[in-house]
Amino acid sequence: MKTKLLIVLVMVLGLSGIQAFTQNGNCPELVVSVKKGTVNKIKPTAAIEKIQQVFPCFTGVTREDEGYNCGGGVFFVTNDFYAYTGRDYWEFRGKFKGSWDTKLLGCKPADIEFQFGDPVREERIPGYKVMFFKQKYGCIRIQFGIQSNRSEEVGIHYKPAAEVELCY
């Protein structure tokens, strides 16, 4: 009886601790520098532990050697951004609420091309057009919805566009 009670107590405390952490973890204000390829001055090449330390609001982690989630990383589902450390890139999706030094979400392709010039690579995937633009650190990848004709996802990659593997 004592063993069952102890197991139940550990499960309840353990689960409530995890729930409180993932729901109440405080994220600092998120500032994206497209020019430098950083979030709060942190590069996506940082170790998983460093990213977790700087951004304690993460909702999930996948080790880089597990072979899924685009090579592993630290995920912030509540904040709609992701650190894919196995492939050295940040990804930002439509509900991301941080600030940018250069606005990229919700833009038309012509607006992005006006800022960055011609793309160095273009891809088509079902429902999306993907454009890559060269940066000093690697490239930015911008995914446009075919129907909306607006940018819906942004990747900041620490690799040249030709070396970026799309992961869906």
Side-chain angles (χ1 to χ4, degrees):
M1 180 69 172
K2 286 182 182 180
T3 304
K4 287 182 183 178
L5 182 61
L6 181 61
I7 291 171
V8 169
L9 183 60
V10 168
M11 287 176 56
V12 169
L13 290 175
L15 290 175
S16 66
I18 292 169
Q19 184 178 16
F21 177 75
T22 58
Q23 290 181 353
N24 298 322
N26 291 323
C27 230
E29 179 184 351
L30 301 169
V31 181
V32 179
S33 174
V34 176
K35 294 172 185 166
K36 296 178 182 175
T38 61
V39 177
N40 294 18
K41 300 182 181 179
I42 302 295
K43 296 177 182 179
T45 56
I48 286 177
E49 298 78 19
K50 175 70 174 178
I51 292 173
Q52 290 174 299
Q53 177 187 4
V54 173
F55 305 108
C57 56
F58 62 92
T59 55
V61 177
T62 303
R63 289 189 351 227
E64 293 175 3
D65 61 357
E66 289 181 352
Y68 56 92
N69 281 340
C70 301
V74 185
F75 311 107
F76 306 85
V77 174
T78 306
N79 298 55
D80 219 9
F81 86 104
Y82 310 83
Y84 291 100
T85 57
R87 294 191 182 183
D88 296 332
Y89 72 96
W90 294 111
E91 185 172 276
F92 309 89
R93 299 181 188 162
K95 295 180 183 172
F96 177 72
K97 300 295 185 218
S99 61
W100 300 78
D101 63 359
T102 305
K103 181 183 176 192
L104 294 179
L105 283 171
C107 298
K108 293 182 179 182
D111 298 332
I112 301 296
E113 289 181 75
F114 180 77
Q115 291 182 68
F116 297 102
D118 291 332
V120 294
R121 175 180 164 194
E122 290 189 48
E123 299 279 335
R124 295 239 181 228
I125 57 175
Y128 298 97
K129 175 171 81 170
V130 183
M131 300 169 81
F132 295 80
F133 298 88
K134 185 178 180 179
Q135 298 294 297
K136 290 178 183 177
Y137 50 80
C139 69
I140 53 173
R141 170 186 48 85
I142 303 178
Q143 184 170 298
F144 299 91
I146 297 294
Q147 291 185 349
S148 70
N149 198 36
R150 300 268 181 188
S151 53
E152 298 178 0
E153 184 176 292
V154 173
I156 293 178
H157 295 263
Y158 268 66
K159 291 182 179 181
E163 295 178 21
V164 172
E165 295 178 55
L166 295 178
C167 177
Y168 295 99

